[in-house]
Amino acid sequence: MEWLEKFNKVFESKIRLGLMSVLVVNDSLSFNELKELLQLTDGNLASHLKALEETKYIEFQKQFLGRKPLTTYKATEAGQKAFTDHLQVLENMIRENL
């Protein structure tokens, strides 16, 4: 099956798939917004964000809002392309198996 070769292993995790889904449609989201949207623990979210950072699919910005630290995340161009390509592979797979 040719589509299996094009399947992006980074998105095998439903959490990473969810992260990219919300980051592709939003300019950026904070750590707490992502945590709430996806209903994850701090540690679980942090480990999946790190995996996506290492692939350069997302980037983060640290700043302060008043005296409180604020970390926001956004999808990179490479991440958006990889995610779109992955969705196309899934769509092709579904079409072939209908």
Side-chain angles (χ1 to χ4, degrees):
M1 294 187 186
E2 183 181 315
W3 56 266
L4 268 178
E5 296 168 11
K6 297 178 182 174
F7 194 81
N8 191 327
K9 299 274 188 200
V10 173
F11 302 125
E12 277 185 354
S13 161
K14 68 180 180 179
I15 294 173
R16 285 186 222 135
L17 193 61
L19 281 167
M20 287 305 293
S21 295
V22 297
L23 289 173
V24 164
V25 297
N26 290 282
D27 288 336
S28 68
L29 291 169
S30 72
F31 185 90
N32 287 333
E33 289 170 323
L34 290 168
K35 185 173 116 175
E36 185 177 320
L37 272 171
L38 299 171
Q39 299 180 339
L40 299 169
T41 63
D42 286 1
N44 201 0
L45 177 56
S47 68
H48 287 285
L49 287 169
K50 183 174 176 151
L52 290 170
E53 287 170 34
E54 288 173 353
T55 60
K56 307 279 191 239
Y57 288 172
I58 65 169
E59 59 189 19
F60 66 93
Q61 180 180 17
K62 290 185 180 264
Q63 56 193 10
F64 283 89
L65 189 60
R67 292 180 173 247
K68 293 180 112 181
L70 177 68
T71 304
T72 55
Y73 295 85
K74 71 178 206 170
T76 62
E77 278 189 42
Q80 289 177 358
K81 180 173 179 358
F83 187 69
T84 301
D85 291 348
H86 181 73
L87 293 179
Q88 187 64 55
V89 169
L90 291 175
E91 189 175 313
N92 292 344
M93 177 187 73
I94 292 166
R95 283 191 180 143
E96 285 179 19
N97 291 296
L98 286 179

